[in-house]
Amino acid sequence: MVQLYFMGRLADLFGASLQCAISDKGLTVSELKRQIDTEFKTSTLQHASIRAAINDSIALDSASVNPQDKIVFLPPVGGG
Amino acid sequence: MLTSKPIDSGALLMQFTAAHSAAGAIVSFTGQVRNHSAQKDVQGEVSVLHLQAYEPMTSDGIIAAQNRAYARWPLQGVKIVHRIGDMKPADTIVFVATAAKHRRAAFEAADFLMDYLKTRAIFWKKEITQSGYIWVEPRAQDYTDAQRWDNNLQYTYKDTL
């Protein structure tokens, strides 16, 4: 299971957090975005402006996600 | 640095000034919550502004921006306090203070830090009005302001000022 968190407006659609079962082999950020979007019948996470952080570091779409990772999806920041 | 409690910028400025009594220049900026939405299609007054951060990434980013300011200007001190959570119009949302030997470094560093906080800091901002709520993104002008520092990597500070 990976723990997913959704910040800003993404939480309106996906909820603030959820757990997601992934294969033991892991998958990429891009594959995880597709898996979640498919489940929620949306393409929101496919947008290039949506970044992901793995264990509190910004990750590329090609980065590997492993079970036990904490993944945070970040929409464009709004400024203070 | 991040707080969900009201910010007293007067008290913070007094403490900062006392801590930097040898500085020739102290600059401070206080940002307040506006009562009118920045969004064109939103009617009515803002009743609540909600600011969400993601720790530790938000604080790490602010510390990195602060370090860039120290590397770029001869600063004697920097103080940044940013509110998170729910705020009302006129509440202080951010306090930034800089101390330096001369004024130009203090002014420019405070300006640089505010541009970082307005466009690149990891915050998500929600305006709540009578007609609902909207997630706010930076204005085009905020991005243009922030880019000034990317295009001008040399010191503009002159020690003779």
Side-chain angles (χ1 to χ4, degrees):
Chain A
M1 287 290 223
V2 284
Q3 188 69 43
L4 309 176
Y5 295 89
F6 298 91
M7 307 307 293
R9 62 181 162 81
L10 296 179
D12 293 349
L13 182 59
F14 300 103
S17 70
L18 61 93
Q19 287 195 323
C20 175
I22 61 166
S23 128
D24 286 344
K25 289 180 291 181
L27 75 182
T28 64
V29 167
S30 162
E31 288 164 345
L32 178 62
K33 283 177 168 178
R34 261 201 304 279
Q35 182 177 321
I36 301 162
D37 270 349
T38 305
E39 203 172 309
F40 282 83
K41 298 182 172 56
T42 178
S43 60
T44 306
L45 299 179
Q46 305 306 308
H47 197 275
S49 66
I50 307 295
R51 293 182 298 168
I54 301 179
N55 302 327
D56 297 335
S57 293
I58 294 290
L60 296 174
D61 272 0
S62 56
S64 299
V65 175
N66 297 302
Q68 315 308 323
D69 278 344
K70 172 187 170 191
I71 312 295
V72 184
F73 291 102
L74 312 131
V77 295
Chain B
M1 183 189 305
L2 300 184
T3 179
S4 53
K5 295 184 180 139
I7 295 172
D8 182 344
S9 50
L12 288 171
L13 180 58
M14 277 177 66
Q15 287 165 16
F16 187 77
T17 304
H20 298 284
S21 54
I26 304 272
V27 163
S28 78
F29 174 84
T30 297
Q32 301 194 121
V33 177
R34 292 186 190 85
N35 63 353
H36 281 91
S37 174
Q39 310 297 302
K40 282 179 193 156
D41 48 353
V42 174
Q43 299 296 316
E45 295 203 340
V46 173
S47 54
V48 174
L49 182 75
H50 177 78
L51 203 71
Q52 183 185 36
Y54 180 66
E55 290 287 62
M57 288 178 66
T58 305
S59 287
D60 288 350
I62 293 172
I63 290 165
Q66 200 168 299
N67 290 340
R68 287 198 296 280
Y70 273 114
R72 191 161 172 171
W73 290 277
L75 299 172
Q76 295 176 6
V78 171
K79 180 79 178 174
I80 299 173
V81 181
H82 212 295
R83 183 97 179 257
I84 53 172
D86 288 348
M87 285 156 268
K88 299 186 302 298
D91 279 359
T92 295
I93 182 168
V94 61
F95 173 84
V96 169
T98 54
K101 190 174 176 186
H102 296 287
R103 70 180 184 280
R104 189 67 58 209
F107 271 124
E108 288 187 2
D111 198 13
F112 165 84
L113 289 166
M114 273 312 304
D115 283 341
Y116 169 79
L117 291 166
K118 290 296 290 183
T119 55
R120 294 175 187 173
I122 301 176
F123 290 114
W124 296 276
K125 190 155 66 177
K126 183 160 75 170
E127 282 181 352
I128 299 161
T129 64
Q130 280 185 338
S131 57
Y133 71 84
I134 188 163
W135 289 97
V136 181
E137 294 189 4
R139 301 170 304 149
Q141 183 65 48
D142 292 326
Y143 288 118
T144 310
D145 285 348
Q147 280 166 3
R148 290 178 302 156
W149 308 104
D150 301 337
N151 300 334
N152 178 13
L153 293 171
Q154 299 301 310
Y155 284 89
T156 48
Y157 171 78
K158 298 280 188 294
D159 202 38
T160 51
L161 289 165

